[in-house]
Amino acid sequence: MSIDKETARRAAHLARIAVPEEELENLAQELSGIVGFMEQLLEVDVEGVDALTSVSPMALPRRTDVVSDGDQIDKILKNAPDSREGFFAVPKVME
Amino acid sequence: MTDLYKFTIAEARSKLRNREITSLELTESCINAVEGSDALNAYCLKTPDLAREQAKKADELLAKGNTQDMCGIPLGIKDLFCTKNVYSQAASKILTDFKPQYESTVTSRLWDQGAVMLGKLNMDEFAMGSSNETSVYGPAVNPWRRDGSKKKLTAGGSSGGSASAVAADLCLGATGTDTGGSIRQPAAFTGIVGLKPTYGRVSRWGIIAFASSLDQAGPMTKTVKDSAIFLNAISGHDIKDSTSAPFVVPNFEAAITGDIKGKKIGIPKEYRLDGMPDEIEKLWKDGAEMLRDSGAEIVDVSLPHTKYALPAYYVLAPAEASSNLARYDGVRFGHRATLKAGEGIDEMYARTRAEGFGDEVKRRVMVGAYVLSAGFYDAYYRRAQRVRTLIKKDFDDVYSTGVDAILTPATPSAAFGLGEMKNKDPIKMYLNDVFTVTVNLAGLPGISIPAGLSSEGLPLGLQLIGRPWEEGEMINIASVLENGAKFNFKPNKWW
């Protein structure tokens, strides 16, 4: 399946990556090439085959749902581009 | 004693323990080598002051009779590992100025043993690439050059800085990470040993994530024995990584006996590619011959779904990456785009990511978002996961016939020139991983061993694929190949 400009725009939006209008056509072509490569998978008979989500031989372990760490606001905010009064600061979300 | 930096880990360990040298002398020798290495662009950050401080502490421990293997050993650390208060950027603009407030489990274990950090090593951005050319720092350069040529060659990727640094004696060993071949391919391109452990052997905690079901850290070293020593230091269960295995870690170094009599080595016919260079074919045959001469039985095996490994990988890895990289939004760390009047949080996310990610990372994140989107999830993502089951089953079937390890070439060619793939289709670059990617999909251990030189004088590597959790056996067989191949070549110093 080839990817058109609108599908490329949608993929960019889903990924939250700004792509200038004039680059969308080129992006669509690139993505088409990659998706075309993936389409070899359609040749494989996967009838009755389970999906593999983990190669680990064990079930994911569970732990008790308790607080085990915390009180590290300074460390957590240390790398933030903007923080105020112990919070991450972002542009206004609601008017 | 001016050439201390050329030691292997095993050699340095014995000289440190016997008090023939101090860690500070060894570390100064390495710092000096690193200082003169800028043309290789292997180190993206040098930490000589920290190294001296750690070396002095190691010397105190050694004076008290500390016998931990990595005590006093100077190492390089891939930029993907979070190191406390030391820039950790995954070679991406989006993590500019990021100083983690915590230490990855792998590096913690190394520092707990008394190891020394010389600096952070160059890599492809977020470990996405096979030539180190997607790095925000520019590519690491291979210390090897073609006979009679001055052209700069790739050190491979994504762990290109690690490979270049080990091959050029800019550290005694380095950490790497491998999602589709990122330890083994650069090791093969630079004539060193690179080991990817069984998935779950080494904790992923504190390593910047690319594709979590495939990522695994491992050692890049000058010898097979060093890889065993290094692997022991970083392996083992970690409560902070729920996929790390609660298994007892065997002594990998003690597994090196050189005795492989009666071992069964599989040669998979699907790895014989059309158009594969004769010298790669010959290298592979010679490797099998060496193992046979040492008493192993060589058997033909079949891994019928090999051909579908790369397309499955390039669905699954970008899908996981698009999810893992969602965290880079300009809120908690790293780069944030400067907003214009009237722009809000949506523009902040989209422009931060457009400015912060390089082209290959953007491409993969968008591909990942696409294959996970409504309407395509079953057709691509779900199908790729089912194909992954079949790829793993191929290996299970071969191992169930009593095969102990599988021998393949590590890469389809020797190192190529920087810039040579620039205008080609991205898929051409992906084909570098054709022999290595199956191992990640099946969660198996693999090791790349330097085994010969190409007609142009460049290193070529062989790969051994082991049974799950049998790194010791794999390392032992690798040591037989290492002894047989007698690869004792080093690049001529030009940097």
Side-chain angles (χ1 to χ4, degrees), chain B residues 318-320 322-323 367-374 376-377 381:
Chain B
E320 293 187 30
S322 80
S323 168
V367 165
Y370 174 76
V371 299
L372 290 173
S373 65
F376 301 102
Y377 182 87
Y381 183 68

Side-chain angles (χ1 to χ4, degrees), chain A residues 1 3 7-8 10-12 14-19 27 30-31 33-35 37-58 60-61 75-82 88-93, chain B residues 97-99 101 199 242-247 307-308 310-312 314-315 330-334 336 339 345 348-350 353-354 362-363 365-367 369-371 373 376 380 382-390 392 427 441-443 469:
Chain A
M1 200 186 90
I3 291 188
T7 313
R10 197 164 66 91
L14 285 171
R16 297 295 187 276
I17 294 175
V19 178
L27 176 66
E30 259 179 25
L31 295 184
I34 295 169
V35 170
F37 178 64
M38 292 171 178
E39 278 175 356
Q40 290 177 65
L41 296 176
L42 301 177
E43 297 165 18
V44 187
D45 180 7
V46 291
E47 193 58 43
V49 178
D50 288 336
L52 191 154
T53 50
S54 166
V55 291
S56 301
M58 66 265 176
L60 281 178
K75 283 186 178 179
I76 288 166
L77 293 178
K78 174 111 179 152
N79 286 288
D82 190 8
F88 293 108
V90 294
K92 210 194 286 186
V93 179
Chain B
D97 292 338
F98 177 57
K99 275 191 181 173
Q101 298 303 296
Y199 183 84
S242 61
T243 62
S244 101
F247 299 161
K307 147 174 201 214
Y308 301 107
L310 268 180
Y314 277 97
V315 173
V331 174
R332 286 159 296 167
F333 28 63
R336 176 187 287 191
L339 296 184
I345 199 158
M348 185 190 90
Y349 292 149
R353 292 161 66 78
K362 284 185 204 171
R363 197 179 287 133
V365 169
M366 288 191 273
V367 165
Y370 174 76
V371 299
S373 65
F376 301 102
Y380 295 108
R382 203 77 182 150
R383 175 169 282 263
Q385 284 187 315
R386 294 165 90 185
V387 171
R388 187 176 179 186
T389 300
L390 295 171
K392 181 168 185 297
I427 292 171
L441 289 169
W469 314 107

Side-chain angles (χ1 to χ4, degrees), chain B residues 300-333:
Chain B
D300 288 323
V301 299
S302 174
L303 298 164
H305 295 90
T306 298
K307 147 174 201 214
Y308 301 107
L310 268 180
Y313 176 83
Y314 277 97
V315 173
L316 298 172
E320 293 187 30
S322 80
S323 168
N324 273 327
L325 271 59
R327 74 192 69 183
Y328 304 104
D329 55 6
V331 174
R332 286 159 296 167
F333 28 63

Side-chain angles (χ1 to χ4, degrees), chain B residues 130-159:
Chain B
S130 305
S131 66
N132 215 128
E133 288 170 294
T134 70
S135 166
V136 74
Y137 314 114
V141 178
N142 198 325
W144 290 83
R145 303 204 284 201
R146 291 176 186 133
D147 290 340
S149 163
K150 288 189 174 173
K151 187 169 176 47
K152 286 184 176 177
L153 304 180
T154 178
S158 66
S159 310

Side-chain angles (χ1 to χ4, degrees), chain B residues 41-45 79-80 87-98 120-129 131-140 158 160-161 208 335 352-362:
Chain B
N41 202 21
Y43 280 85
C44 53
L45 179 73
D79 201 30
L80 202 63
Y87 292 120
S88 306
Q89 234 185 288
S92 179
K93 184 183 169 189
I94 211 160
L95 277 172
T96 301
D97 292 338
F98 177 57
K120 302 298 282 285
L121 295 167
N122 203 348
M123 53 179 283
D124 279 295
E125 184 181 6
F126 284 108
M128 299 182 194
S131 66
N132 215 128
E133 288 170 294
T134 70
S135 166
V136 74
Y137 314 114
S158 66
I208 295 169
H335 177 73
T352 292
R353 292 161 66 78
E355 291 171 12
F357 291 145
D359 288 343
E360 181 62 23
V361 172
K362 284 185 204 171

Side-chain angles (χ1 to χ4, degrees), chain B residues 29-212:
Chain B
S29 170
C30 290
I31 289 171
N32 195 42
V34 171
E35 276 311 317
S37 74
D38 290 355
L40 294 173
N41 202 21
Y43 280 85
C44 53
L45 179 73
K46 299 168 190 163
T47 55
D49 295 340
L50 174 63
R52 289 187 185 104
E53 195 184 305
Q54 288 175 319
K56 283 177 198 157
K57 274 191 201 146
D59 282 328
E60 285 169 23
L61 290 170
L62 285 158
K64 286 182 205 149
N66 180 304
T67 53
Q68 301 222 70
D69 285 329
M70 301 298 276
C71 190
I73 305 288
L75 304 173
I77 302 296
K78 188 177 182 180
D79 201 30
L80 202 63
F81 291 77
C82 286
T83 43
K84 192 172 180 178
N85 285 320
V86 176
Y87 292 120
S88 306
Q89 234 185 288
S92 179
K93 184 183 169 189
I94 211 160
L95 277 172
T96 301
D97 292 338
F98 177 57
K99 275 191 181 173
Q101 298 303 296
Y102 48 86
E103 188 77 35
S104 81
T105 298
V106 164
T107 48
S108 286
R109 286 184 174 165
L110 292 169
W111 315 146
D112 286 350
Q113 285 214 357
V116 171
M117 177 162 81
L118 294 164
K120 302 298 282 285
L121 295 167
N122 203 348
M123 53 179 283
D124 279 295
E125 184 181 6
F126 284 108
M128 299 182 194
S130 305
S131 66
N132 215 128
E133 288 170 294
T134 70
S135 166
V136 74
Y137 314 114
V141 178
N142 198 325
W144 290 83
R145 303 204 284 201
R146 291 176 186 133
D147 290 340
S149 163
K150 288 189 174 173
K151 187 169 176 47
K152 286 184 176 177
L153 304 180
T154 178
S158 66
S159 310
S162 303
S164 175
V166 173
D169 292 318
L170 308 179
C171 56
L172 273 61
T175 59
T177 62
D178 191 316
T179 304
S182 283
I183 286 176
R184 292 160 288 155
Q185 182 254 25
F189 278 6
T190 54
I192 65 165
V193 175
L195 191 158
K196 183 203 96 73
T198 311
Y199 183 84
R201 178 66 90 189
V202 174
S203 169
R204 291 180 296 106
W205 193 83
I207 302 172
I208 295 169
F210 164 14
S212 304

